[in-house]
Structures are given as C-alpha cells and as structure tokens.
Amino acid sequence: MVNVIGLGYIGLPTALMLSSHGVEVVGTDYNSELVATLNAGKTTFKEDGLDGLFEDAVKAGIKFTTDYQVTDTYIVSVPTPYDKFSKKVDACFVVAAVENVLRVAPKDAILVIESTVSPGTIEKSIRPVLKRESRIDINLVHAPERIIPGNMVYELLHNNRTIGADNTAIGEKVKKIYASFCQGEIVVTDIKTAEMTKVVENTFRAVNIAFANELAKICRHDNMDVYEIIRICNMHPRVNILQPGPGVGGHCISVDPWFLVGDYPSLAKVIDESMKTNDAMPAFVLHRIYDIMKEKDMHDLSRVGLYGLTYKENVDDMRESPTLQLLESQAKHLGDPLKVYDPFINKDVVANQYHNLGEFLDAVDFVVVMVKHNEIKENIDKLTDKVVLDCHNIIPGAYHI
Ligand code: SAJ
C-alpha cells in the first residue's frame, strides 16, 4: 500500500492515478476540511480529467484520512515555500511530514519526497531528521513531479520521470510503482542530481520567459512588434523563443529558480536578473495602462477592468498570479483598485470583483487581458467597443504590452 501525504495540486492527482492503476492507496492530509470534501465525493480543484480519474480511484477503493498509515511506501507531496527575504527554500512542511511518517513507518520503509526542494535539501534537512530519530533504516528517495497545471492528467500518464535514490535496488522498486501508470521513460539517478534536475527545468523556463519579456520591453521602447519578431525568429531551426506576458505566476517557475539564487548568490547571475525581469512585468503592465489612458484621454480608473485572476489560462490557481501582483503594485500608488473578473474564481478574493462577463464588460471601457482563458477567446466580439490592452496577442487590433 502507498500512503500519499499531502493531497494538493500534485499529491491528489498522483494518489488518484496510482489507485486507478491497481495500487492500493491511502491519501493523508492534515487539512480535515479537505479530507471531508474528498470523502464526500468531491474534488478540491478544477483540472481537465480530474473528476473522471477521481471516480475511477474511488471505485478502486482509495481512502482519504488525516492519519498517517503503517505501510512500506510513503510519497510526500507537500508544498515547499521559500523565504521571501533570503530566497532560500523552507523545507518546514516536508520536515513535519517526514517526522510524522517516522512515527509510524515500519523498518526499511521507502520514503519518497515528490515536493520540489533545492539541491542538497534532502542531505541537509531530511537525512538529519532520520538520524535524530534513529531511523537510518528508512530508504529516502526523491521523485520530483513534472506535470503542468491545465494538462496534469495527460502529463502524469505520458511525461518522462526522474527518480533519485541512494542505491539502484530501491530506485528500481520505486520505478515499478510509478510505472504502474507512467508510460514515459523513468530515469534512476542519485538524490542530489534528481533535486537539481527539477529546479533546473523550471529555471530554464523562467530564464526563457524573461528573455521574451525583455524583448517585449525593448520592442515597446522603439515601437516594434515583438510578436511578429518572435514569430519570424522562431522560423530559424535553432531558435525557439517563448511568449512575453504580464508576469510569471504559479508555485513553480516563479519560485524554484530563487532556490538557486538563494544558495549560489554570487554565481546565479543570469537567473537572478531573469527572475527580477519577470517579477517586474506586472508593474510594467500597470505603466502601459497609464500610458494608454493618457493617449486615449481617459481619466477614470474605475472604468478600467482586469480580465483574469489566475496565474495562467484555464486553471483556477491564483498562486503568485500576475493580476494579484499588479493589484498589489497599484495599491502602492493609493489608487482605487481596478475592476477584476475571472470565470474560474467564484469566491470574492479582491475588491471590485465581478462574477459575470457581461456585467464586468458593462462596467468598464478599458479591458486588460491578463489571462487568455478560452472564455475571452470565444467572446472577442464583445470587446469591439472597448479599449483593449492584450497581454497575450489573442485580440486583433488591441494594444500590446
Ligand atoms: N508564461 C509566459 N510565457 C510563456 C509561458 C509561460 O509568460 O511563454 C507564464 C504563464 O502565463 C504562467 C507562468 O509563466 O504565469 C508559468 O506557467 P507555465 O505554463 O510555463 O508553467 P507552470 O508553472 O504551470 O508549470 C511548470 C512546468 N515546468 C516546466 O515547463 C519546465 C511543469 O512541468 C512543472 O511540473 C511545474 O512548473 C512544477 O510544478 O514545477
């Protein structure tokens, strides 16, 4: 039996996937409300294919509880925040989960950490817990997740994976468990290499998004069309530039690269600058709003609306979202908060929030497309009489960042 600890964005789909592929699974989370929701037959976030997977797993007998189980295999997928000041990873949730596992784990159990941690964290922060508790019999493994919100179920099935273990026998054992559902290649390596690959993958993307964002700023400065330039450059066989945007959100690409900056401040220069470039984008969009208002002789900020609150399209995850960053930046200027609408966010989370596209559009003359949800792509005709700042190049004739 596998006990999956932490039933969030990664733990829940992983637990469901294992269960629906014949592995006996118990999911554990300290949040009793979340566990109650799952036990009531409901999923806790929206994701393509998740509800179907949930049904399959329930049929297969998955259980949800707040208790840690006595079993031979644990998978820990709890969040790893970073300290905003030092930029270092804060492994407190992982350490707490490991301590709880050690209280119940039988001799020689396998303890897989899926949570993203900076290279060396398992050696520096997790192994000492095992030593302190006299549990060096426990087999530590790192199997970082790679799935992208919006396409999680497909990617769980098809992505290649990495497993870091102290010895090949344990690595191969864990590989077998993941191979129950994973059709991709599963590479077995050592723990520190596995930790590093995960952070490097997200850093690669962060640096490349920063490059696109920097190009957008350069092109804005001299009134060039960044999208046309990127389109043409990408016709070169060895060039593949990503898309500029209003900023980088989510709990991965906007966070993980800071682990390297925090640990290697004098070496991680390109990464540091890239992260600052991405972090500066929401404020850049705010300036664009002011400039366009000036150009259009518009004066009423209350007639400006932000479309989208989530960190990217077609997900309901708002963590580190560029819209929230923009509103924070606007609050520093003491202005009344802009109007906001997102079809994926039903609860009121910010001031001046709307829950209906028509009402939102009636209330504004200037729409800033922060997130390219399918909904807005399908309703482009409703924007014809609006001034539009399109941060994603989806609306013909609109202003760009
Ligand atoms: N973004 C851009 N321009 C682009 C692509 C993305 O501005 O060309 C923005 C998005 O709008 C969003 C942010 O970047 O705000 C991140 O979005 P994303 O879709 O690139 O990635 P995430 O954060 O949803 O998921 C990433 C993935 N990592 C990589 O692609 C290397 C995923 O595979 C990881 O599993 C996930 O991080 C994670 O959990 O670490």
Side-chain angles (χ1 to χ4, degrees):
M1 187 252 279
V2 176
N3 188 193
V4 177
I5 316 292
L7 299 173
Y9 285 99
I10 300 303
L12 181 63
T14 305
L16 300 179
M17 197 51 98
L18 284 165
S19 171
S20 59
H21 285 80
V23 179
E24 192 187 343
V25 178
V26 176
T28 298
D29 200 292
Y30 79 124
N31 180 345
S32 49
E33 250 176 68
L34 182 141
V35 169
T37 307
L38 294 171
N39 279 328
K42 281 184 243 148
T43 48
T44 39
F45 61 95
K46 288 183 205 146
E47 175 68 38
D48 253 8
L50 191 69
D51 287 345
L53 192 63
F54 184 79
E55 272 175 36
D56 293 346
V58 169
K59 271 187 214 140
I62 191 169
K63 293 195 176 58
F64 305 107
T65 170
T66 51
D67 296 326
Y68 285 68
Q69 304 295 302
V70 179
T71 187
D72 53 2
T73 311
Y74 298 86
I75 295 181
V76 172
S77 44
V78 295
T80 36
Y82 74 99
D83 183 277
K84 285 228 158 89
F85 181 68
S86 70
K87 309 289 190 205
K88 290 199 180 205
V89 65
D90 181 354
C92 61
F93 294 131
V94 182
V95 169
V98 167
E99 283 169 346
N100 285 329
V101 166
L102 296 185
R103 283 193 193 112
V104 294
K107 193 169 176 314
D108 297 327
I110 293 176
L111 174 47
V112 182
I113 312 285
E114 271 217 23
S115 312
T116 306
V117 290
S118 60
T121 302
I122 292 189
E123 208 47 51
K124 277 182 285 191
S125 307
I126 309 297
R127 220 182 283 279
V129 179
L130 266 55
K131 287 197 183 129
R132 191 184 72 213
E133 302 295 322
S134 307
R135 290 306 310 267
I136 48 168
D137 59 292
I138 296 289
N139 295 292
L140 275 179
V141 173
H142 185 42
E145 57 82 16
R146 268 180 172 167
I147 51 178
I148 197 148
N151 199 23
M152 283 180 159
V153 175
Y154 176 87
E155 292 208 350
L156 261 176
L157 289 169
H158 297 281
N159 283 1
N160 303 322
R161 299 193 69 112
T162 317
I163 289 175
D166 290 334
N167 64 64
T168 331
I170 293 294
E172 291 297 326
K173 246 188 175 174
V174 174
K175 180 174 170 174
K176 251 196 190 151
I177 296 171
Y178 283 100
S180 66
F181 64 83
C182 172
Q183 298 165 27
E185 192 178 327
I186 304 178
V187 177
V188 175
T189 182
D190 62 87
I191 290 180
K192 194 165 180 181
T193 303
E195 289 174 322
M196 187 65 173
T197 55
K198 168 69 201 195
V199 175
V200 168
E201 287 160 14
N202 280 349
T203 303
F204 172 85
R205 198 150 166 88
V207 169
N208 281 280
I209 295 171
F211 178 65
N213 284 334
E214 188 161 290
L215 288 180
K217 286 183 174 174
I218 292 170
C219 291
R220 169 65 34 228
H221 187 73
D222 259 338
N223 209 17
M224 293 179 273
D225 182 345
V226 69
Y227 297 104
E228 179 67 350
I229 289 163
I230 291 177
R231 191 181 71 80
I232 295 170
C233 290
N234 282 350
M235 293 169 84
H236 183 291
R238 280 172 298 283
V239 176
N240 187 11
I241 304 169
L242 295 180
Q243 294 299 306
V248 171
H251 201 58
C252 314
I253 293 179
S254 68
V255 175
D256 299 355
W258 285 125
F259 298 168
L260 293 177
V261 177
D263 284 348
Y264 308 98
S266 61
L267 299 174
K269 298 288 185 202
V270 171
I271 303 168
D272 189 17
E273 276 308 317
S274 300
M275 294 303 279
K276 287 177 183 152
T277 301
N278 291 338
D279 282 356
M281 288 314 287
F284 182 76
V285 174
L286 193 56
H287 277 282
R288 260 319 263 149
I289 296 172
Y290 292 145
D291 286 347
I292 294 167
M293 285 181 77
K294 229 188 273 166
E295 186 187 319
K296 289 278 181 190
D297 203 22
M298 296 171 88
H299 302 282
D300 188 358
L301 260 186
S302 75
R303 298 291 299 172
V304 179
L306 304 176
Y307 178 89
L309 256 171
T310 60
Y311 85 91
K312 69 172 186 183
E313 66 277 13
N314 307 322
V315 299
D316 64 359
D317 187 343
M318 288 187 299
R319 289 177 299 176
E320 322 283 332
S321 108
T323 303
L324 293 177
Q325 293 178 46
L326 189 152
L327 289 171
E328 206 179 300
S329 165
Q330 196 212 348
K332 288 184 192 145
H333 300 281
L334 303 176
D336 278 341
L338 301 173
K339 296 197 159 71
V340 187
Y341 162 75
D342 191 304
F344 282 83
I345 307 299
N346 302 324
K347 278 195 219 149
D348 271 327
V349 288
V350 290
N352 298 335
Q353 191 182 336
Y354 286 72
H355 296 281
N356 174 287
L357 179 63
E359 284 169 21
F360 168 71
L361 291 178
D362 284 345
V364 299
D365 304 315
F366 184 169
V367 178
V368 184
V369 178
M370 295 292 288
V371 186
K372 53 174 191 256
H373 289 309
N374 287 346
E375 184 206 47
I376 195 71
K377 290 190 191 166
E378 288 154 10
N379 284 285
I380 289 179
D381 56 320
K382 298 200 173 126
L383 297 172
T384 35
D385 61 339
K386 310 284 178 204
V387 174
V388 179
L389 169 55
D390 172 10
C391 300
H392 297 283
N393 195 27
I394 54 165
I395 316 247
Y399 283 96
H400 288 153
I401 50 175

